[in-house]
Amino acid sequence: MSSQVVAPRIRGFICLNAHPAGCAVNVQRQVALAEQGTGGGRWGRALVIGASTGYGLASLISAVFGYGADAVALCLERAPQGDKPGSAGWYNLAEVGRAARAKGRKVTTLNGDAFSSQAKDDAVAALRALGGPVDVVIYSLASPRRVDADGKSWSSVLKPLGGTYRSKSIDLNKDVVNEITIEPASGDDIEATVKVMGGEDWQAWMDRLAKEKVLAPGCRTVAYSYIGPELTHPIYTNGTIGRAKAHLEATAKVLHAGLSPSGGGAWVSVNKALVTQASSAIPVVPLYISLLYKVMKAKGTHEGPIEQIVRLFRDHVGPGKTPQLDAQGRIRIDDWEMAPDVQKAVADLWPTITTENLLAASDYAGFKQEFRSLFGFEVPGVDYTKPVELDVAL
Ligand code: NAD
């Protein structure tokens, strides 16, 4: 047991620690929204790959507390060790487990590498132990790297293709608007990013679940993507990560062909830009999000991960729902972000932003607050002067 006062240790886009009580309060807020926002119907069992933070955590909470599912939740998180706190995702899933038990639901948490066959073995065994096949599989990994069974390692990179990318950005350490330069992809950058963030591992999961006969008839599976505004296209949609997302979309079509005859399906959902651990690390995105949040909050259309996923399940992939698809076959819950008036307002603000007006003209304060809140800090209702128990079991 180790109880202590925990203060944030932040370096740029990385927070080195987490506050267990703050993470628990964040989860409780999401649980309440998931319970209110259900679209009706029930799922028996859910599997969420990348379930501990961001969109995956919201998907897990929505499936369990909105649709009554028991669940297997896979993550790669750091356990608390002595006087060192665990990672935010660890504390998030500890609280999901506690809340689920209180409601008579079962959530089995697996902490391991999703790319490994061990994780797939463990998930199949955990689904069997839950007593039946899986009705919904959410693939929400955001991983910097992948190591294959033969030891070969691949690193995902965020690079433009063809030419150097220059853009305005924010230096998160100094809170100043700066200019960044990113050199184009070279060597095996594209192949490696597709390996890590493309659809190969999603397909491996679905093939494995089918082979083990743990897919329920009518099983639905969804993976997440992002498109965003033209100003980020060179580094995102038209860059190395965009190639991986294109591969994810192609994989959805292959999986859909296998699942649709029994009434199921596979889709990519294009989601809104959000402050998460993954997105904060993408150059330019923190500045774009600061402007986007300013505009969407003023319009009353701002959503966080739980609001997005509640809407995704209620309108598109929940039990009995028929997804509405765009011309490329994707679900679009980024529709409010991409609304022409929102995009025009952001594009008009973009050239006017300087270090001096950053706080007044954008929601950079909201970005920073939300970033800290990802790790359980600055969460309303938490007394940060009190010691808190770090040794929380999953
Ligand atoms: P996140 O960083 O909040 O969550 C990533 C999850 O993956 C965590 O649960 C982490 O534990 C898990 N994980 C990472 N590596 C793992 C591994 N090797 N094995 C097991 N688990 C592992 O990320 P996020 O922002 O919620 O992104 C999830 C998906 O949503 C990604 O595909 C991302 O591209 C997409 N997306 C994100 C945004 C955004 O703005 N954040 C927008 C649209 C789409």
Side-chain angles (χ1 to χ4, degrees):
M1 303 296 269
S2 178
S3 194
Q4 59 175 263
V5 172
V6 186
R9 291 176 55 218
I10 293 173
R11 308 275 179 277
F13 60 82
I14 293 170
C15 182
L16 301 169
N17 61 354
H19 196 283
C23 291
V25 171
N26 282 338
V27 166
Q28 287 153 16
R29 182 189 151 268
Q30 293 204 29
V31 168
L33 287 170
E35 285 176 340
Q36 289 158 19
T38 174
R42 284 181 78 78
W43 274 319
R45 274 154 300 276
L47 167 63
V48 182
I49 301 155
S52 51
T53 56
Y55 276 117
L57 175 67
S59 305
L60 174 71
I61 290 174
S62 221
V64 172
F65 299 97
Y67 296 88
D70 289 336
V72 176
L74 179 70
C75 64
L76 193 58
E77 297 295 343
R78 192 182 66 242
Q81 267 194 325
D83 61 357
K84 288 204 183 79
S87 55
W90 180 276
Y91 293 127
N92 290 339
L93 286 184
E95 179 58 19
V96 170
R98 192 205 59 74
R101 281 190 297 281
K103 305 248 169 193
R105 313 249 158 75
K106 295 181 198 132
V107 174
T108 308
T109 301
L110 304 173
N111 192 29
D113 180 7
F115 296 109
S116 69
S117 55
Q118 182 66 52
K120 294 172 179 90
D121 291 348
D122 293 347
V124 167
L127 284 169
R128 291 207 172 107
L130 287 180
V134 65
D135 300 285
V136 58
V137 178
I138 303 295
Y139 190 83
S140 186
L141 273 199
S143 179
R145 83 196 257 276
R146 160 181 183 162
V147 182
D148 286 340
D150 62 5
K152 181 155 176 49
S153 165
W154 306 90
S155 289
S156 164
V157 295
L158 287 154
K159 290 189 183 171
L161 304 182
T164 302
Y165 175 62
R166 286 189 185 80
S167 173
K168 232 178 195 179
S169 191
I170 304 179
D171 180 334
L172 297 175
N173 271 315
K174 299 183 183 147
D175 299 334
V176 298
V177 175
N178 63 358
E179 181 91 6
I180 51 139
T181 303
I182 305 175
E183 295 306 327
S186 59
D188 71 352
D189 283 344
I190 296 175
E191 187 191 2
T193 306
V194 171
K195 273 269 175 195
V196 181
M197 290 298 287
E200 190 180 89
D201 184 57
W202 183 23
Q203 172 135 24
W205 271 95
M206 297 308 294
D207 289 350
R208 185 69 198 278
L209 297 169
K211 188 168 159 239
E212 301 283 350
K213 302 204 178 346
V214 290
L215 282 184
C219 178
R220 299 175 155 213
T221 183
V222 184
Y224 298 139
S225 185
Y226 182 66
I227 294 178
E230 275 182 25
L231 61 94
T232 63
H233 281 188
I235 182 75
Y236 201 95
T237 300
N238 297 336
T240 47
I241 184 74
R243 290 291 185 91
K245 294 300 187 186
H247 189 267
L248 201 66
E249 286 181 28
T251 304
K253 294 200 163 61
V254 173
L255 293 174
H256 191 77
L259 292 168
S260 54
S262 68
W267 301 277
V268 163
S269 171
V270 183
N271 299 357
K272 169 185 190 270
L274 284 181
V275 184
T276 66
Q277 298 182 32
S279 70
S280 305
I282 306 176
V284 188
V285 166
L287 178 55
Y288 170 69
I289 286 183
S290 299
L291 296 177
L292 180 73
Y293 278 25
K294 174 101 180 166
V295 172
M296 293 186 81
K297 283 179 182 173
K299 265 181 72 83
T301 57
H302 174 69
E303 296 173 296
I306 192 68
E307 291 86 354
Q308 278 265 288
I309 298 302
V310 161
R311 190 152 72 88
L312 174 69
F313 288 1
R314 189 191 62 214
D315 295 349
H316 300 281
V317 295
K321 303 287 176 202
T322 304
Q324 308 299 303
L325 307 176
D326 70 6
Q328 283 76 36
R330 304 169 294 207
I331 299 168
R332 300 297 298 268
I333 56 168
D334 64 341
D335 46 354
W336 299 353
E337 170 182 353
M338 299 313 290
D341 60 335
V342 170
Q343 285 302 315
K344 179 170 184 325
V346 172
D348 288 348
L349 279 171
W350 186 265
T352 71
I353 296 296
T354 60
T355 300
E356 290 66 38
N357 69 13
L358 181 60
L359 283 175
S362 83
D363 190 29
Y364 184 52
F367 171 86
K368 291 207 98 166
Q369 191 275 328
E370 222 167 285
F371 179 75
R372 292 197 174 105
S373 153
L374 293 178
F375 304 90
F377 298 107
E378 293 184 20
V379 177
V382 177
D383 182 354
Y384 291 97
T385 63
K386 270 193 171 161
V388 62
E389 179 54 54
L390 302 183
D391 189 13
V392 181
L394 269 186

